[in-house]
Every structure is written in C-alpha cells, then in structure tokens.
C-alpha cells in the first residue's frame, strides 16, 4: 500500500501502537534510523511509546537497536522492515492468534518436547545468579509483574489454557476429534467477524 493510502498517524482515535506503526511507515521509512527523542517528540501524549513500538515486533515488524546492531547508538533504532498491517481491522487479533497457534504447534513437536525436557533438567542444576537476573531483566513489565506475584505466592498457578489442555487430554479419542472440530468452528467464526467488509475496501465496486 502506498504511503498516500495509509491512515493519518496523528489520528488519536487509533491506538498508540497503530499510530507508531504508521509513523514508522510514513515518517521514518524502511531501512532508516531514528532516535528515541524523535519518537517521543512525535508522541508527547503517549507515556510508554517505546514499549508500543517494541510490541510491534510480535506482529512481524523488524526494529533493530544497538543490541542487534552495535553500529547504532544507544538512543538510536533502525526501522528495518514493516510487518502486519496493524491499522487494518482484525489484523492485530488474527496475527496474534496465528502466532500463538504456531508457538503451540512447536511446543507439541517431539523435538520441542525433548528440548523442553532438557531445559527442565538444566534448571534443576544450580543456576548462575547473574544469568537468572539477566532473564528477569529481559522480561517485559507485565511479565515481571506476573513472576513477582508467583514469587510472593511461592508457586506458579496453572493458567486457564493449561487447565483446558489437561481437561481435553482426559477425553476419549472420539471426543477429542469432536472437540477439535467445534473449537475450529469457533475460532473460524471469530476470525471471520474481525475481517473487514467489502464495502470498507478501497476500490471495491
């Protein structure tokens, strides 16, 4: 899509992550470098605009810092490549669901299970405190809040996804197949509801 066809990045009706994506696409351009000061100056009304830009990575946007490219200064970042068109209706939700599905599929692969088992064995060994701190520090703010709550409770509670998976595994093979069909129909209907109608597409008759 040409820049002239993209929504206005200054439109406050859109979310800050969508506006940041449009700013990168129209004001910075792929392959170009920008500074954190330029980003914050463009979004003076958004307190955590840096985090909103980082969130774009989960949707296929490639944004390098001096951690990935040592030639960049600490206050610089490079917009390498655009990802999902997050300004289009339903794209954010569909992209995240697709990413979650791929992650789940990888976890269920035999090789992934073996690697995970090996990691569990390594975690039983005495870890390096600095390595542990490095992992904690690299977590996002919501993730750090979650693990801090686990530390306070003294245990990690099972997520709703894990509980649903255990319940699913308790079904018979025939019941699992029926449940998979029903779940597929539900997910498909949710994705369909998020798709833009033909009347909203540019150039549609």
């Amino acid at each position: 899509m040409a820049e002239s066809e993209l929504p206005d990045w200054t439109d406050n009706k859109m979310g800050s992550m969508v506006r940041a994506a449009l700013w990168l696409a129209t004001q910075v351009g792929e392959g170009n470098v920008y500074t954190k000061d330029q980003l914050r100056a463009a979004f003076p009304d958004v307190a955590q605009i840096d985090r909103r830009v980082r969130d774009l990575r989960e949707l296929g946007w490639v944004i390098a810092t001096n951690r990935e490219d040592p030639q960049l200064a600490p206050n610089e970042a490079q917009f390498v490549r655009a990802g999902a068109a997050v300004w289009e209706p339903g794209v954010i939700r569909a992209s995240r669901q697709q990413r979650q599905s791929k992650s789940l599929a990888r976890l269920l692969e035999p090789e992934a299970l073996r690697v995970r088992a090996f990691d569990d064995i390594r975690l039983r060994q005495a870890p390096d405190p600095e390595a542990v701190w490095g992992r904690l520090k690299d977590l996002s703010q919501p993730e750090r809040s979650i693990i801090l709550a686990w530390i306070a409770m003294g245990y990690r509670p099972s997520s709703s996804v894990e509980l649903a998976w255990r319940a699913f595994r308790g079904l018979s093979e025939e019941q699992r197949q029926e449940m998979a069909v029903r779940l597929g129909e539900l997910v498909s209907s949710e994705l369909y509801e998020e798709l833009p109608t033909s009347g909203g597409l540019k150039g549609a008759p």
Side-chain angles (χ1 to χ4, degrees):
M1 182 181 293
E3 289 186 12
S4 59
E5 298 177 356
L6 295 176
D8 183 3
W9 68 273
T10 63
D11 187 354
N12 288 325
K13 294 180 181 178
M14 297 183 294
S16 55
M17 184 179 71
V18 174
R19 291 178 57 204
L22 289 167
W23 180 77
L24 290 171
T26 60
Q27 305 301 305
V28 178
E30 289 188 349
N32 293 322
V33 174
Y34 65 92
T35 66
K36 294 180 180 180
D37 289 339
Q38 290 173 327
L39 174 63
R40 291 165 184 164
F43 297 90
D45 56 326
V46 182
Q48 294 186 332
I49 189 60
D50 293 345
R51 183 168 296 280
R52 300 290 77 79
V53 170
R54 288 196 295 272
D55 289 343
L56 287 169
R57 293 175 174 175
E58 298 181 2
L59 298 165
W61 289 65
V62 181
I63 301 160
T65 65
N66 65 334
R67 294 181 64 178
E68 294 82 22
D69 184 354
Q71 294 183 354
L72 294 171
N75 68 326
E76 291 181 332
Q78 183 184 26
F79 172 35
V80 180
R81 184 172 64 254
V86 295
W87 48 85
E88 295 182 358
V91 167
I92 294 178
R93 182 175 180 178
S95 296
R96 284 176 173 167
Q97 287 180 335
Q98 184 181 34
R99 188 182 183 92
Q100 290 170 353
S101 297
K102 289 182 178 179
S103 297
L104 179 60
R106 285 196 297 269
L107 284 175
L108 296 179
E109 292 175 356
E111 181 62 26
L113 293 175
R114 286 196 294 271
V115 171
R116 188 173 180 179
F118 179 69
D119 286 342
D120 289 342
I121 293 173
R122 289 195 303 173
L123 287 174
R124 295 192 191 104
Q125 301 173 355
D128 176 24
E130 288 305 314
V132 174
W133 172 244
R135 289 193 175 192
L136 293 171
K137 187 173 62 174
D138 288 342
L139 296 174
S140 65
Q141 184 177 2
E143 290 171 334
R144 284 196 291 268
S145 299
I146 291 172
I147 198 169
L148 186 59
W150 293 352
I151 293 172
M153 292 186 295
Y155 70 97
R156 180 179 70 87
S158 298
S159 68
S160 57
V161 174
E162 289 173 323
L163 293 175
W165 170 248
R166 293 174 190 170
F168 175 81
R169 294 293 295 174
L171 299 175
S172 67
E173 183 63 29
E174 182 179 354
Q175 290 171 329
R176 290 181 196 175
Q177 292 178 0
E178 179 185 355
M179 201 64 60
V181 171
R182 292 173 61 183
L183 183 60
E185 291 174 348
L186 176 61
V187 172
S188 296
S189 65
E190 291 173 339
L191 291 176
Y192 180 79
E193 290 174 359
E194 292 292 328
L195 293 175
T197 59
S198 58
L201 296 176
K202 295 188 177 182

